[in-house]
Amino acid sequence: MKAETMPQPARFALPAPLQGLTRRRLFWPCATLALLLIINGAFNPNFFSITVKNGHLYGALIDILNRAAPLMLVAIGMTPVIATRGIDISVGAVVAICGAVAASLIGGTLIIQNGTPVYVSQTPMALALLIALGAGLLCGLWNGALVAGAGMQPIVATLILMVAGRGVAQLITEGQIITVYYEPFFIIGNGFLFGLPVALYIVAAVALLMLLLVHRTALGLFIEAVGINPVAARFAGLNARRILIMVYAFCGVCAAIAGLIVASNVKSADGNNAGLLMELDAILAVTLGGTSLAGGRFSLAGSLIGALIIQSLTYAIYSLGVPPEINMVVKSVVVLTVCLMQSDSFRATLLQHLRREPR
Amino acid sequence: MSRNRLFNPALLPLAVTSLLFVLTFGYGAVAYTGFLSSQVFLNLLIDNAFLVVVAIGMSLVILTGGIDLSVGSIIALVTMVSASLVEHHHWPVYVVVPLCLAIGAGFGALMGCLIHFFQLQPFIVTLGGMFLARGLCYVISIDSIEITDPAYMAIAHHKIMLWGENFISINVVIALAVVALGVFLAHYTRFGRTVYAIGGNERSAVLMGLPVGRTKILVYTFSGTCSALAGVVVTFYMLSGYGLHAQGMELDAIAAVVIGGTLLTGGVGYVAGSLVGVLILGVIQSLITFDGTLSSWWTRIAVGVLLCAFCLLQRGLEHGGKRQLATT
């Protein structure tokens, strides 16, 4: 990790041996995740056990990973956007649009083939998936054009697609829930490959691609530069606009892939509810992963861990027997706590109190 | 600068909105029989009274350069609290309503304090507030609670007769009173001038010695109270409490404020414009209802297109007005 590239002012006064460890950027997200997993394990003895059934791995951990896949994808897309000091609140709508596009193109009609009834897709599946990804790319480019081209505040620019996007998704599905009957489409969200869910391979591929781009090329540096000071970045010869548009386009594509997984998982497309509130979960995941909302620094691995934290939290809430309604209250408390910990003035106040009281 | 004195560019979006409202209403009058009646216009107010109330609170928040995403959830929370208190504990209206307003004010004040004292982004704090209020709704009950209290029914069904057969509901009176209060606060008080100053340039406002912190907290408190009042209005309108009420309302409110000519970066706009903004959204809804062949999702698309158009218009005005490098 490139956590040490930037010298950080010492804000915490922790004992010396702990300082090095806690200053690593991924320490706190990993610690939180570990804590949640331990809590889960304490209340559910079978939590850590993984068994093999029908050649697939089964277990709570695999379940958490599988269910977190769409959120992980959206969080990967959101991370560079937040790193440029932006935000994309339209991802939930993009998930709905792309799910709707794929589902309505594939559909599935029943025909009799060699005497047995078979479902065939209306459009070749590869083409349908490409068109859905294209729709996501288009949504991202639109956001990018509004942010970088027209110079709108990111929250406003993406608000437009967030409002209109669900309308568009419903327009595509004509207000219905479109059910897909074409078997191969289910592989994306429900299939297994070498014992692991297919969705995980997709997440791994996207994450790996992005990690390579960010760490093997100068792209990561450029994104951080734009986030720290866009004007200075431009004076330094960066094409800030192009980077911004690329970042939003990437976010759109990630949301599109997430939309395909969601649609494939529930074998249908629902313009109204697919990806509902996902933008908030994604922002939460990115923040939990240690990326500051003020832009400039980001951690892709952190965002992935953040998404896993949210999913394990949900799992813990369910397995503890707490009514699922409390889920949102817990999440809100987590959001506010994380934000407070990121606030310098809060830490200063807290530190003052901590220093005063022991004496 | 003499050009600006002849025509104030800050007024342009409001003028465009008003013109657009007249045009869309005129189109409805020509296209659909029965559209051109005073009751159709009054129904716009009756059906959107809660949105007007929320939008006024949101206008002041946006004028300071902030944003409040918690409004829809606070509405839902208030409908839930009042429905459960009235139905399950048989509390009277005159206790429940002030209690609800206090809840809203407290919620807003808390978020304002977090934003001011710890310099957190309004977006993320109110997002947390949104989660919290929605979550609390489900803690009360996950089902819809119907209100059958006679006092509530009486208020809900009360018609204030105007000329001829035309009437408005008590909700409209509440909404118009809030508009009057909002306009007074924003344009005729020291508090209002501070709000504009913060939105224009917060650092300058601090250097001028204005009470920035107090004003910011008060603005969020006002917005919270408005949301709670809107919740009360929704309770009268729907006669039920439900955790899913007013889902996505925050976006409608932001759209109404922007379409009403308030700049999302803060500092420029007129509170009365938000009323026009709400009316525009309402008239689009009515047109789609009158048409009958268009489906409801066209409303969302139309609102999105309008929002986009007005944001672009604002950007154009900013660019022409200041000719500055966009640094955001």
Side-chain angles (χ1 to χ4, degrees), chain A residues 91-238:
Chain A
V91 284
V94 177
V95 165
I97 291 177
C98 298
V101 168
S104 62
L105 283 178
I106 293 172
T109 25
L110 188 67
I111 57 156
I112 307 292
Q113 213 169 46
N114 303 331
T116 45
V118 190
Y119 284 105
V120 293
S121 64
Q122 286 163 4
T123 321
M125 194 171 97
L127 185 66
L129 296 186
L130 270 182
I131 294 175
L133 293 184
L137 181 67
L138 213 62
C139 290
L141 285 175
W142 161 260
N143 281 335
L146 286 185
V147 173
M152 273 186 207
Q153 287 166 284
I155 178 167
V156 182
T158 52
L159 176 72
I160 293 167
L161 190 59
M162 185 187 182
V163 174
R166 290 214 175 267
V168 173
Q170 278 176 305
L171 187 69
I172 296 166
T173 63
E174 290 171 335
Q176 311 284 316
I177 294 175
I178 293 185
T179 317
V180 182
Y181 294 104
Y182 185 59
E183 291 282 343
F185 181 62
F186 304 151
I187 293 171
I188 303 172
N190 296 321
F192 281 84
L193 189 65
F194 305 123
L196 281 173
V198 171
L200 279 185
Y201 290 99
I202 301 175
V203 175
V206 174
L208 207 64
L209 176 77
M210 195 57 195
L211 275 173
L212 283 178
L213 272 178
V214 165
H215 293 299
R216 294 280 165 221
T217 70
L219 191 66
L221 198 64
F222 290 171
I223 291 173
E224 290 188 340
V226 171
I228 291 164
N229 190 335
V231 179
R234 205 176 54 233
F235 286 149
L238 279 180

Side-chain angles (χ1 to χ4, degrees), chain A residues 150-151 159 171 280 325 343, chain B residues 118 123 127 142 251 264 297 315:
Chain A
L159 176 72
L171 187 69
L280 308 181
E325 299 89 73
S343 148
Chain B
F118 303 124
F123 165 73
L127 190 71
I142 50 169
L251 304 175
L264 264 161
W297 52 80
R315 284 302 301 170

Side-chain angles (χ1 to χ4, degrees), chain A residues 85 87 89 142 146-147 150-156 159-160 162-164 166-168 170-176 230-231 234-235 272 276-277 280-281 283-284 287 293-294 325-326 328-329 331-333 335-336 339-340 342-346 349, chain B residues 65 67 69 114 116-121 123-136 138-139 141-142 247 251-252 254-255 258 263-266 296-305 307-309 311-312 315 318 325-328:
Chain A
R85 227 191 271 182
I87 200 136
I89 54 173
W142 161 260
L146 286 185
V147 173
M152 273 186 207
Q153 287 166 284
I155 178 167
V156 182
L159 176 72
I160 293 167
M162 185 187 182
V163 174
R166 290 214 175 267
V168 173
Q170 278 176 305
L171 187 69
I172 296 166
T173 63
E174 290 171 335
Q176 311 284 316
V231 179
R234 205 176 54 233
F235 286 149
N272 235 349
L276 198 64
L277 292 181
L280 308 181
D281 277 348
I283 295 165
L284 180 54
T287 333
L293 280 171
E325 299 89 73
I326 313 287
M328 284 185 101
V329 178
K331 260 187 208 169
S332 67
V333 173
V335 180
L336 290 177
C339 291
L340 280 176
Q342 285 190 358
S343 148
D344 287 337
S345 46
F346 179 79
T349 321
Chain B
I67 203 148
L69 295 179
L114 285 176
H116 169 61
F117 288 117
F118 303 124
Q119 278 136 38
L120 298 179
Q121 290 186 357
F123 165 73
I124 203 81
V125 171
T126 54
L127 190 71
M130 171 187 183
F131 268 134
L132 188 61
R134 248 327 144 204
L136 289 176
Y138 295 123
V139 173
S141 165
I142 50 169
Q247 188 120 50
L251 304 175
D252 286 341
I254 295 169
V258 172
L263 215 57
L264 264 161
T265 42
S296 61
W297 52 80
W298 280 106
T299 319
R300 305 199 72 128
I301 297 177
V303 172
V305 169
L307 192 59
C308 181
C311 287
L312 286 175
R315 284 302 301 170
E318 263 181 294
L325 291 172
T327 49
T328 45

Side-chain angles (χ1 to χ4, degrees), chain B residues 13-260:
Chain B
L14 185 54
V16 172
T17 313
S18 308
L19 186 68
L20 202 63
F21 175 70
V22 173
L23 284 180
T24 38
F25 205 83
Y27 167 75
V30 175
Y32 309 108
T33 47
F35 199 89
L36 188 66
S37 76
S38 35
Q39 191 58 49
V40 169
F41 177 76
L42 292 176
N43 281 344
L44 282 184
L45 287 173
I46 294 174
D47 295 336
N48 294 297
F50 50 97
L51 190 53
V52 172
V53 176
V54 174
I56 297 300
M58 184 72 86
S59 311
L60 285 182
V61 172
I62 291 183
L63 278 174
T64 64
I67 203 148
D68 188 349
L69 295 179
S70 69
V71 291
S73 313
I74 293 182
I75 290 179
L77 180 61
V78 163
T79 65
M80 242 13 223
V81 168
S82 38
S84 81
L85 286 181
V86 167
E87 282 305 301
H88 299 159
H89 304 277
H90 304 287
W91 288 30
V93 184
Y94 50 84
V95 179
V96 172
V97 170
L99 180 71
C100 287
L101 294 185
I103 292 175
F107 225 97
L110 189 70
M111 292 191 297
C113 286
L114 285 176
I115 292 165
H116 169 61
F117 288 117
F118 303 124
Q119 278 136 38
L120 298 179
Q121 290 186 357
F123 165 73
I124 203 81
V125 171
T126 54
L127 190 71
M130 171 187 183
F131 268 134
L132 188 61
R134 248 327 144 204
L136 289 176
C137 289
Y138 295 123
V139 173
I140 296 173
S141 165
I142 50 169
D143 297 315
S144 162
I145 305 175
E146 202 189 345
I147 297 178
T148 50
D149 182 69
Y152 265 85
M153 306 272 272
I155 297 174
H157 296 308
H158 187 75
K159 288 178 181 175
I160 300 169
M161 300 310 289
L162 302 174
W163 62 94
E165 289 290 294
N166 298 302
F167 65 91
I168 51 174
S169 62
I170 288 177
N171 286 344
V172 177
V173 179
I174 297 176
L176 293 180
V178 173
V179 173
L181 177 69
V183 169
F184 172 73
L185 278 179
H187 303 297
Y188 298 98
T189 62
R190 188 178 289 181
F191 168 75
R193 279 191 290 279
T194 311
V195 165
Y196 276 88
I198 294 174
N201 189 332
E202 190 171 337
R203 208 165 291 173
S204 313
V206 173
L207 292 176
M208 273 192 281
L210 293 173
V212 170
R214 195 181 71 200
T215 309
K216 269 169 94 174
I217 295 174
L218 278 177
V219 158
Y220 285 96
T221 312
F222 180 69
S223 173
T225 318
C226 279
S227 318
L229 187 59
V232 171
V233 168
V234 169
T235 325
F236 290 145
Y237 183 71
M238 306 247 201
L239 280 177
S240 69
Y242 190 30
L244 283 176
H245 271 333
Q247 188 120 50
M249 174 69 68
E250 50 282 340
L251 304 175
D252 286 341
I254 295 169
V257 172
V258 172
I259 293 171

Side-chain angles (χ1 to χ4, degrees), chain A residues 216-260:
Chain A
R216 294 280 165 221
T217 70
L219 191 66
L221 198 64
F222 290 171
I223 291 173
E224 290 188 340
V226 171
I228 291 164
N229 190 335
V231 179
R234 205 176 54 233
F235 286 149
L238 279 180
N239 190 339
R241 281 190 181 173
R242 196 191 297 159
I243 289 173
L244 277 177
I245 292 179
M246 267 168 52
V247 160
Y248 282 91
F250 175 68
C251 186
V253 175
C254 282
I257 304 173
L260 291 179

